[in-house]
Amino acid sequence: MFEEGIVLKQRYGDENVFDLSLGNPVMEPPVEFDQELRKLAEQPLSGMHRYMENAGYPETRAAVAAQLSLETGVKLTMKDIIMTCGAAGALNVVLRTILNQGDEVIIFAPYFMEYLNYIENHDGIARVLPSDEQFMPKLDVLKAAIGAKTKALLINSPNNPTGVVYSEALLRQLGELLHEKEAQYGTQLFLISDEAYRKIVYDKLKYPSTLRYHPQSIIVTSHSKDLALPGERIGYIAVDPDCSQQEELVNGLIFCNRTLGYVNAPALMQHIVRHLQQVTISVDEYQRKRDFLYDHLVEMGYSVRKPQGAFYMFPKSPVKDDVAFVRELQQWKVLTIPGGGFGSPGYFRISYCVDDKTLEGSLTGFKKTIEKFNLG
Ligand SMILES: Cc1ncc(COP(=O)(O)O)c(C=O)c1O
């Protein structure tokens, strides 16, 4: 889609193509980011571009731990944090560390499409389970799916592609279920929480943390979205301080961060983000874009669940064949992604982290396309 978008833009001009296919934030990083960057350029720290501990600078890890402790109410220290090359790097490091060949990782559809690749990278097997109509996990299905080979449950809230946020009650139920299954099989089950969009939640919703509900929790996240820095590759892993064999696990993660070839998270970004743990891009701006698009789509007759976070929408395709629908939208130069790519055919994903002009310009295509299918 990325490549197709470039070709279309070359042919028809940027302003005539409405690319809603990518999760590439339109916002610039907050001003505090520029201030820190300028400060470092004007008063460089001695040795600031050298190698450091593979887990990252102690000061950065301590700042991350302090912020997470504040948000979750669980006391973390720098020893629980490993700085990584984005959330993608974090996920690969975690999977490399915990998986043996043939171990299963459970994910719910729709899922972030790279999960399949990451699990396969480390000889794991992805067990994909369906969600309910509200895109929430079906607990009875999960209960039946966890077996002796299960190593982890990987969840993503706020979710890409649906925008749903898991409730505290659901996290509690997931934690209880994992605990029950650990006892049944005599295994250790990790709850990997992909929180790439943790700070982008709407309507004053409070984000509940898995750390409170399962001691074998591992958080993976980044500043790609909350500080709009996806190209800078800065993220982290946080391990629940109550995890059994915690020190061994953390040492394994640090080892894999090194040997997978990441070595360490980018030094410059580590120097900067340690001062920005309390800073976030404007969530109100994304909420405004969500409301604009959601209201228009509903008015046109689309069936869509209102996102509670992240910056994606996952409407039902007006026809069964989501690929045909996305192709038709493309006739109007509106680019989206078929739900099949996320393991949920019959839907399509819209990314609304784009400028207002693009969102406004896409409306005609959405309207004409649903009209065509409804009349046809
Ligand atoms: C759910 C989810 N997890 C992980 C990532 C990877 O994030 P990063 O750019 O920090 O590696 C993304 C990126 O879009 C994502 O949507």
Side-chain angles (χ1 to χ4, degrees), residues 85-88 91 112 115 156 160 194 196-197 222 224-225 230 233 312:
C85 294
L91 272 163
F112 174 50
Y115 286 166
N156 169 222
N160 174 6
D194 178 349
Y197 302 91
S222 72
S224 297
K225 318 291 172 165
R233 316 305 308 136
Y312 308 101

Side-chain angles (χ1 to χ4, degrees), residues 16 163 250 355:
N16 297 315
V250 169
D355 56 31

Side-chain angles (χ1 to χ4, degrees), residues 144-253:
I146 298 175
K149 279 262 168 210
T150 311
K151 185 53 77 70
L153 170 63
L154 167 54
I155 59 172
N156 169 222
S157 163
N159 185 268
N160 174 6
T162 65
V164 300
V165 175
Y166 287 5
S167 69
E168 201 160 348
L170 175 62
L171 292 184
R172 182 176 299 116
Q173 286 171 314
L174 289 178
E176 283 167 5
L177 182 52
L178 292 178
H179 187 68
E180 181 190 318
K181 289 290 174 179
E182 283 181 330
Q184 182 179 344
Y185 291 104
T187 49
Q188 195 183 37
L189 293 170
F190 292 100
L191 178 55
I192 307 170
S193 178
D194 178 349
E195 304 185 359
Y197 302 91
R198 181 174 78 232
K199 300 218 179 139
I200 307 179
V201 292
Y202 306 131
D203 307 321
K204 303 202 167 35
L205 210 67
K206 195 169 164 358
Y207 183 79
S209 176
T210 54
L211 294 184
R212 302 183 72 92
Y213 301 106
H214 187 61
Q216 309 296 116
S217 285
I218 304 175
I219 293 172
V220 294
T221 188
S222 72
H223 294 298
S224 297
K225 318 291 172 165
D226 63 24
L227 293 176
L229 297 172
E232 301 298 347
R233 316 305 308 136
I234 183 73
Y236 62 85
I237 301 168
V239 181
D240 196 316
D242 290 333
C243 188
S244 62
Q245 297 169 292
Q246 211 262 10
E247 197 179 335
E248 197 180 346
L249 174 62
V250 169
N251 286 338
L253 294 165

Side-chain angles (χ1 to χ4, degrees), residues 53-56 61 79 81-83 93 97 237 247-260 263:
E53 295 91 319
N54 298 110
R61 294 161 66 202
K79 291 195 184 124
I81 310 294
I82 297 121
M83 301 307 295
V93 166
T97 308
I237 301 168
E247 197 179 335
E248 197 180 346
L249 174 62
V250 169
N251 286 338
L253 294 165
I254 297 170
F255 178 81
C256 290
N257 202 31
R258 184 183 110 214
T259 55
L260 282 174
V263 182

